[in-house]
Amino acid sequence: MAGQKAPKTVVLNYWELTPANWPHHLAALKSSGVDEITTFLPWGLHESVQGIRDFSKTSRLKLEKFMGIAHQAGLTVRVHLGFPPKKESFPGWSLSLGEHCAMVPSALLRSGAEALCLSRLPSIHDEVFFSTYLEFLSEAFSLLSLYRFPEGPIVGVHLDWGVYELDLGATAIGFYGSFLQQRYPQAGMINLKYQCTFRDYATATSAQGTRVLLDKRPWLAAYDYKFCREQMLAERAQGVVSLGSAEPLIDLLSFGLVEQATETHPVPWSVVMEPTLIEGDVSQDAYPFAPLGYLNPQAASVFGLWEYLRTHSKKAGVPLLELRAGHHAPSKMVAVIAGRFLSQRLVRTLREWAESGATLFFPFGVPQYDENLVTLEWKPGVSRLPFQAGAKHTRFPLGQGSLWYPESTNVPEVHFWESLRTLLTEGARP
């Protein structure tokens, strides 16, 4: 509703507190101005023994009691389920279920792990593992539906796929090829785009086929992989929605990553990075994109660039953000870290930024092709303008803003950050 103030929200996991302190703690939150709490409902704690789900016996797992106290305190609650990188997300016995494995960055699960190490977990796409988790969800949903607002405090139920959003083992799943077929209805189309000679989808999505695609056209292979991974998780979401116990919560139920709201401060310039060839959150923790453990040289180079930018952005206090479709421009001056390829969704976002008055600088040149290898049309009115030290840049207006880039995109690595900062703070005026 227009003009309505967003609720003040805090994260509070009921199972991390002593139950005797729930009333005092929740009342104190309410008196401090908090309106809403987000709490994680962990499978690993509520079903520590397979088939025996505890929602009432253990004191700190008395979910209904906690919901009642929150409601009495005048707080609303958003319940999160799923597989964030917490030890409580998985019961110990579940780790041996199923035949298929997910491969996720080890650093997600334990601090200090090498960036290139991968850990194996049961795959959410393994029918044995997934059906077992659905049984847990079914009972949890039945209980949560009794406490939806206004009779209770629950105003949202969110299932976060967590570690499975970064699964690098999806091509080992048999039906991965059926999702790739959504992109390429005929196997010959894959050969045409990648200049390969695969006989069928099974060959193209095998371990060797994945490596060939990554070697041929790394960005496109990464885009196709992430497209299929997203579609596969959407199919799992349909399995959750089809549960009978989910029906009373259907209007409160959502899926996927939750973007955390952060305080924003006016900054003169910022850096956004196109994320296709890396994994994770560019602004916080990123990981190499290495399907089935294979790290393509271009993906390794992009990850190295991210590490460099992250280090210098922290020191300089300059935001380093992921380029995401639909987001607003983070500043009036934006450095866009992207290569020759960019999806149409991100192109539209950048155009909207420029048309609204942002100035966008592409240190590696303006992207030329989209995910279908179609030439991008930025529709510029091109003019060439000299900048300091006689350097030539191409600049063109776009709406109220502009796009510009150096004539030579061979950017020196050693002084890249310093050159970028100088250019954006001193040389961005026509």
Side-chain angles (χ1 to χ4, degrees), residues 65-379:
K65 180 179 179 180
F66 179 81
M67 292 300 169
I69 294 171
H71 193 47
Q72 290 173 5
L75 294 164
T76 55
V77 177
R78 292 188 182 274
V79 178
H80 284 205
L81 300 103
F83 302 95
K86 299 175 179 285
K87 63 180 180 180
E88 296 84 6
S89 296
F90 296 86
W93 54 264
S94 73
L95 298 179
S96 60
L97 286 179
E99 298 178 358
H100 300 293
C101 290
M103 301 174 68
V104 302
S106 297
L108 263 180
L109 305 175
R110 60 182 188 274
S111 60
E114 290 291 333
L116 297 179
C117 289
L118 297 178
S119 294
R120 295 179 182 272
L121 291 170
S123 174
I124 195 69
H125 305 295
D126 185 282
E127 294 305 328
V128 173
F129 177 79
F130 185 58
S131 62
T132 304
Y133 184 60
L134 287 181
E135 292 174 4
F136 166 74
L137 284 183
S138 182
E139 189 165 334
F141 285 163
S142 295
L143 185 151
L144 293 175
S145 64
L146 302 175
Y147 292 88
R148 58 171 295 157
F149 192 82
E151 289 79 12
I154 297 176
V155 293
V157 178
H158 183 81
L159 202 157
D160 178 3
W161 296 119
V163 296
Y164 295 114
E165 298 271 4
L166 304 182
D167 180 10
L168 292 166
T171 61
I173 303 299
F175 55 88
Y176 175 89
S178 65
F179 290 95
L180 191 64
Q181 194 169 359
Q182 294 180 21
R183 291 271 295 142
Y184 307 103
Q186 299 176 350
M189 296 173 67
I190 299 177
N191 292 331
L192 182 64
K193 187 168 286 188
Y194 284 93
Q195 298 299 295
C196 297
T197 56
F198 294 118
R199 297 187 305 274
D200 49 34
Y201 289 106
T203 308
T205 57
S206 65
Q208 184 59 36
T210 299
R211 181 165 183 162
V212 169
L213 294 179
L214 282 165
D215 285 335
K216 287 282 188 177
R217 287 183 169 159
W219 186 93
L220 187 61
Y223 181 91
D224 285 345
Y225 180 92
K226 291 184 176 183
F227 168 86
C228 291
R229 183 171 64 187
E230 184 178 327
Q231 297 303 308
M232 291 168 74
L233 289 177
E235 189 268 350
R236 298 284 85 168
Q238 287 303 309
V240 173
V241 170
S242 66
L243 289 172
S245 58
E247 187 174 349
L249 298 168
I250 202 70
D251 58 323
L252 303 184
L253 193 58
S254 59
F255 297 87
L257 290 173
V258 175
E259 295 180 15
Q260 299 297 323
T262 56
E263 284 190 59
T264 57
H265 304 282
V267 291
W269 64 283
S270 58
V271 181
V272 297
M273 191 168 187
E274 196 275 324
T276 300
L277 277 168
I278 51 180
E279 289 280 76
D281 186 347
V282 165
S283 64
Q284 296 180 26
D285 296 309
Y287 312 96
F289 177 73
L292 301 176
Y294 174 62
L295 181 61
N296 173 269
Q298 187 171 331
S301 177
V302 171
F303 180 71
L305 176 60
W306 172 80
E307 289 185 307
Y308 172 88
L309 292 172
R310 186 63 179 150
T311 297
H312 285 276
S313 68
K314 279 186 173 181
K315 289 180 180 177
V318 174
L320 172 63
L321 305 168
E322 183 174 314
L323 176 57
R324 295 181 181 176
H327 282 210
H328 296 296
S331 58
K332 284 294 185 181
M333 188 77 62
V334 184
V336 182
I337 307 300
R340 290 191 303 153
F341 299 92
L342 196 64
S343 72
Q344 283 286 356
R345 291 173 62 200
L346 295 180
V347 170
R348 286 193 294 270
T349 294
L350 290 175
R351 287 182 59 87
E352 289 170 2
W353 290 5
E355 289 167 357
S356 299
T359 298
L360 310 180
F361 175 62
F362 294 81
F364 300 102
V366 175
Q368 303 169 40
Y369 306 103
D370 69 8
E371 65 270 29
N372 296 310
L373 298 186
V374 175
T375 302
L376 292 172
E377 295 289 343
W378 297 95
K379 300 188 184 300

